[in-house]
Amino acid sequence: MRDVLDDLFRAWTSGAVAGVATVVRTWKSAPRRPGASMLVGPGGEAVGSVSGGCVEGAVYELATEVAAAAGGRPVLQRYGVSDDDAYAIGLTCGGIIEVFVEQVSRETFPQLGDVVAAVRGGRPVAVATVVAPADSPRFGRRIVVFDGAAQGTFGSARLDDAVADDARGLLAAGRTGMLHYGPDGERRGDELAVFVNAYAPPARMIVFGAIDFAAAVARIGSFMGYHVTVCDARPVFATAKRFPYADEVVVDWPHRYLAAEAAAGHVDARTVLCVLTHDPKFDVPLLELALRLPVAYVGAMGSRRTHDDRVTRLREEGLTDTELARLRSPIGLDLGARTPEETAVSIAAEIVALRWGGTGAVLSEVDGPIHRAATAGR
């Protein structure tokens, strides 16, 4: 819902009724991940996407109907490839998606204002909704889960507590997904399907080294949705003017800054670290720390000669083979990149490949599914 949140909030604030369709489950080569949403506003306008175009028309019509229906009962609809006609209503990519379509207004979703305030304030919040079975009295009910509180109820205190605990776990991992419970919150049951849409603060990209390559990496990191920090110990180079796409520019010794951020809990399993300092006095103490942190990615710029020297120095500092194996160096995929912008693309490609388990090979020469399950958090 993040993609449509601003438009939805405007409709909600005005007292209007909107239809919202959200992908809650996928199979095979589905084009969008769980959490992708489409909004049909009170004027009939469509915002967002649930399938990249395959079934948008059908979902639009269904969301329009749900928004206009008296009582606003939600619908869970499955869309898959059509055996009779691949261009009929279905996913021509061969995937399958389940879409939960609901009516959203001040009456049906009174907590939306608090959700929006949390998302805009960078505070974690999750919306947990019963999406199956349709004949359950809890179908369509939701609770909103914050760090230390929850709003709403499913009608069972035990179910409320179980979902709230599990939703906080998904928030900590930055994950959206489906959970299953018994009718009264039993975790071994599967009678109820609860979709948890987690709005964790954006994952962090920390770029060390205030060089021209860092400016390009900061720009593509921002495009990918990361909260981007550029850090360098040299104040003459580490300026906001040189890095307009960074969310913040910090003047500090890289290893000291990273240690402080880790101690403060500002580094997690979704964080990516790009070490572009290209200077042993900066990158060796920084990598000594970075490779021992539970982050998603650690990449370091430099030639193969620089890499070999760096690894030797890190071994002397006591890093193990397992820790050194986490280092992506030389940084990026082999795209033949030359310019800072091209290099930034190769770094971004490696981050994406590592996250989703991609090989970096040419897709036209690879068999098997295009989309994979996540292998690292974000």
Side-chain angles (χ1 to χ4, degrees), residues 17-21 38-47 59-64 67:
V17 177
V20 177
M38 172 192 282
L39 163 72
V40 177
E45 67 278 10
V47 180
V59 174
Y60 175 88
E61 295 297 332
L62 181 57
T64 301

Side-chain angles (χ1 to χ4, degrees), residues 192-204:
L192 294 178
V194 179
F195 180 69
V196 179
N197 211 338
Y199 302 92
R204 295 191 68 186

Side-chain angles (χ1 to χ4, degrees), residues 207 209-220 230 242-245 276 340 344:
V207 183
I211 61 176
D212 51 354
F213 286 90
V217 172
R219 182 174 185 177
I220 202 167
V230 175
R242 295 188 69 227
F243 300 96
Y245 291 95
L276 313 182

Side-chain angles (χ1 to χ4, degrees), residues 222-295:
S222 177
F223 175 75
M224 294 168 70
Y226 287 99
H227 178 95
V228 180
T229 301
V230 175
C231 175
D232 195 294
R234 303 165 298 176
V236 68
F237 296 115
T239 65
K241 186 175 182 179
R242 295 188 69 227
F243 300 96
Y245 291 95
D247 294 284
E248 56 185 347
V249 179
V250 175
V251 178
D252 200 349
W253 277 77
H255 71 283
R256 184 168 61 190
Y257 174 73
L258 181 59
E261 290 297 283
H266 299 158
V267 172
D268 60 26
R270 302 178 300 147
T271 302
V272 300
L273 307 176
C274 300
V275 180
L276 313 182
T277 47
H278 209 276
D279 185 333
K281 71 175 179 289
F282 291 122
D283 61 21
V284 170
L286 172 60
L287 289 170
E288 181 186 353
L289 171 62
L291 292 171
R292 288 169 170 159
L293 292 175
V295 296

Side-chain angles (χ1 to χ4, degrees), residues 1 22-24 33-36 125-127 170-171 173-179 195-200 378:
M1 199 187 299
T22 302
V23 177
V24 296
R33 306 298 301 173
V125 59
V127 179
L170 289 176
L171 272 174
R175 291 178 47 228
T176 283
M178 191 79 80
L179 303 174
F195 180 69
V196 179
N197 211 338
Y199 302 92
R378 175 179 177 266

Side-chain angles (χ1 to χ4, degrees), residues 160-192:
D160 292 348
D161 290 343
V163 173
D165 286 346
D166 293 341
R168 291 188 181 101
L170 289 176
L171 272 174
R175 291 178 47 228
T176 283
M178 191 79 80
L179 303 174
H180 294 88
Y181 301 91
D184 198 31
E186 300 89 344
R187 284 189 169 88
R188 292 189 177 183
D190 60 3
E191 291 89 342
L192 294 178

Side-chain angles (χ1 to χ4, degrees), residues 47-73:
V47 180
S49 170
V50 294
S51 71
C54 299
V55 296
E56 304 302 289
V59 174
Y60 175 88
E61 295 297 332
L62 181 57
T64 301
E65 293 173 9
V66 170
R73 183 168 178 78

Side-chain angles (χ1 to χ4, degrees), residues 3-4 182 194 258 289 311-312 322 334 345 355:
D3 291 343
V4 305
V194 179
L258 181 59
L289 171 62
V311 168
T312 298
T322 300
D334 178 18
V345 171
R355 179 187 177 198

